[in-house]
Amino acid sequence: QTRSLLGVFEEDAAAISNYINQLFQAMHRIYDAQNELSAATHLTSKLLKEYEKQRFPLGGDDEVMTSTLQQFAKVIDELSSCHAVLSTQLADAMMFPITQFKERDLKEILTLKEVFQIASNDHDAAITRYSRLSKRRENEKIKAEVTEDVYTSRKKQHQTMMHYFCALNTLQYKKKISLLEPLLGYMQAQISFFKMGSENLTEQLEEFLTNIGTSVQNVRREMDCEVENMQQTIEDLEVASDPLYLPDPDPTKFPAHRNLTRKAGYLNARNKTGLVSSSWERQFYFTQGGNLMSQARGDVAGGLVMDIDNCSVMAVDCEDRRYCFQITSFDGKKSSILQAESKKDYEEWICTINNISKQIYLSENPEEIAARVNQSALEAVTPSPSFQQRHESMRPAVQSRPPAARTSSTGSLGSDSAALSALSLDSLVAPDTPIQFDIISPVSEDLPGQAKSSGQSGRRTNPFGESGGSKPETEDSILHQLFIVRFLGSMEVKSDESPDVVYETMRQILAARAIHNVFRMTESHLLVTCDCLKLIDPQTQVTRLRFPLPNVVLYATHQENKRLFGFVLRTSGGRVESRQTSICYIFESNNEGEKICDSVGLAKQIAFHAELDRKASEKQKEIDRVKEKQQKELNKQKQIEKDLEEQSRLIAASSRSNQSSTEGQFVVLSSSQSEDSDLGEDGKKKRESEA
């Protein structure tokens, strides 16, 4: 805005200069014409006086003509004197003011413009050298020289800028004087010239010229007063701004303002120029509502960088540059890495973007609400008399639900429940519990509070993906949903029976982050399946944490900020190995907290029904095995009975054959012989064939 306004003033000064040059040429023509008229009049008078000395062949001595011409010569000589006086008055009253304005004031503006441009270029060069200071190879001598260079160039730029601005403001008064004073001098000279022969003309213009003269004097007095005030302001600003010439002032003397919902200033933006190479560009950035805007030098207006509603901002380590932070849009598709000039600006930018991300700027008193939120964060770690009092003052009430139930974003606190109203802070959060703000190891390393499943204990994670010999455990899962989340922190809790445990843990972690200035957040992909929850690194696809779904006993979304959600994991071990512990994990998503909780609830329902189906299938298999066993026993018994019956039949047949062996043999032989004798030869053959 300052550069654009300066451009308007410079354009106005150029227009004034062009117009004054044209007016100066016109007035100079009047002055030259008046001098020429005065000289011509004097020459005419001289020639008229010399008439008597002329010798005309035919004219002779004509005394009347001579005396008449002498009288004319006298009058014209007096007119010549009047014209000479008029020329002198025009030179003093008309040409001198406009010449002074043209040669002194306009040239001063041009000189100050060149000095300001040189000082601005020197400051830009000094800032560039300062921004390139190495963080890893820090040289105190070079740093001191560069800092001194920035201080000197910035002070020089500020001083020349104030004097240049003062001269531009003064020009608005001087241009009026430069136009009115020459005209006033011209008219007064003309009046003095005509006064000798025209008193009436003088009377007609006297009041007008008097008013013009009075106005000129008033403008001059106002200009003198304004110049004096501007000089005093310049002196006061030079004294007050001296500490601010340093690029990185002491944060103890100039603390960061954390309640801002609007901010503007110069930042260095990183632009990728190749696969691994990048460049930095210094531009002016400012917030406008829920948008982050940028404007390059010379542009008429700013352009949109990104929408910072529901975005995330965190500090990053960026190569050799300090005070860098990254802004990621709500959908995670766009991000920008910016560098602030000082630690104060660095913290203020992060806090401002955080406040805008929470849409505090839409309220009537945004700074007051931001201050209240920050004050609440500072007071959040102070123990309150009871859980009920704390939640009545800090958040809208929410009705308690059974464990592992999805918590609605609306409702009323379970004030009807006597047990909930009697809960204290110590019954929710374990005393002296450390807060873990980041994920420090992959799934192959044990973290406090992380349970290892039976199938996980002997398995190594493939850092290049899950393409091992074994089949991925989530391949057969019915549910397979992926969400982008950022880990805020985790801590041990003493209760896992009410969603208020999750709310209290959210408040504790957010308060600790605000107090300790922890802005860094690890972005991961949360995979929800019917077996477990997984945190996966988005770059390497390495599983950072694994949470078995049966151990997730409670999950909830924040009532006001739908991006915040958390769940409680019940594990064995912890600080006391002989008991089970509960750890609450808090995450921030891209406005998808309710979707994640719905997905976890669906996964638990699917897992529950799958478990019921499995138990029913096992029971049916057991029944089938029992029936099969009974059938085998029955078949075996039948076989035994059949064998016994066959043996009995054989024994009976054997006994009967033994008893009648002798008698039967004799009778048969006798009968056969008799029959054979009766039948003859043919009968014997037939009997043999039948036999």
Side-chain angles (χ1 to χ4, degrees), residues 340-566:
E341 185 176 289
S342 62
K343 185 176 182 181
K344 176 177 178 292
D345 283 344
Y346 162 79
E347 294 182 358
E348 284 185 352
W349 272 107
I350 292 179
C351 292
T352 302
I353 294 175
N354 267 325
N355 292 336
I356 295 176
S357 175
K358 298 174 184 176
Q359 298 183 350
I360 297 178
Y361 68 93
L362 296 176
S363 56
E364 294 183 358
N365 299 316
E367 292 194 5
E368 181 181 348
I369 295 178
R372 193 184 311 127
V373 171
N374 291 329
Q375 183 65 26
S376 301
L378 292 175
E379 294 174 354
V381 293
T382 304
S384 58
S386 68
F387 177 80
Q388 178 74 13
Q389 294 178 2
R390 172 174 296 192
H391 280 272
E392 285 178 355
S393 61
M394 290 299 298
R395 61 172 179 81
V398 173
Q399 186 177 1
S400 62
R401 296 281 184 91
R406 252 286 283 130
T407 315
S408 175
S409 59
T410 59
S412 60
L413 181 65
S415 55
D416 301 335
S417 174
L420 180 58
S421 62
L423 286 176
S424 64
L425 180 63
D426 293 336
S427 66
L428 295 176
V429 180
D432 301 328
T433 300
I435 298 177
Q436 180 176 323
F437 291 115
D438 203 352
I439 301 173
I440 58 176
S441 63
V443 71
S444 59
E445 301 178 10
D446 292 336
L447 289 176
Q450 179 182 351
K452 296 177 65 176
S453 63
S454 60
Q456 180 194 350
S457 58
R459 179 176 177 264
R460 291 173 57 92
T461 302
N462 185 3
F464 299 101
E466 297 293 340
S467 60
S470 62
K471 190 176 183 180
E473 59 182 0
T474 60
E475 184 176 344
D476 297 332
S477 177
I478 299 176
L479 185 66
H480 194 279
Q481 292 186 351
L482 196 67
F483 302 94
I484 299 176
V485 297
R486 289 168 289 279
F487 181 69
L488 294 179
S490 63
M491 60 186 298
E492 184 179 345
V493 295
K494 297 180 66 176
S495 174
D496 54 11
E497 298 178 354
S498 171
D500 296 289
V501 176
V502 181
Y503 307 145
E504 179 65 22
T505 306
M506 287 179 181
R507 197 164 61 83
Q508 291 277 359
I509 291 177
L510 292 177
R513 279 181 169 269
I515 291 175
H516 299 293
N517 295 328
V518 179
F519 301 112
R520 185 187 305 276
M521 291 185 291
T522 302
E523 185 170 291
S524 304
H525 289 170
L526 179 64
L527 179 63
V528 181
T529 67
C530 299
D531 300 323
C532 64
L533 306 181
K534 278 188 177 184
L535 279 181
I536 302 174
D537 187 282
Q539 302 295 331
T540 62
Q541 298 301 313
V542 174
T543 301
R544 290 174 171 170
L545 288 178
R546 182 183 182 278
F547 308 101
L549 193 62
N551 293 353
V552 179
V553 296
L554 184 66
Y555 49 93
T557 307
H558 197 275
Q559 304 93 326
E560 297 177 356
N561 190 353
K562 301 305 179 184
R563 298 180 302 160
L564 297 179
F565 76 97

Side-chain angles (χ1 to χ4, degrees), residues 35 61 128 267 366 412 569 618 663:
N35 288 335
D61 294 332
T128 302
L267 295 172
S412 60
L569 188 74
E618 290 181 355
E663 297 177 356

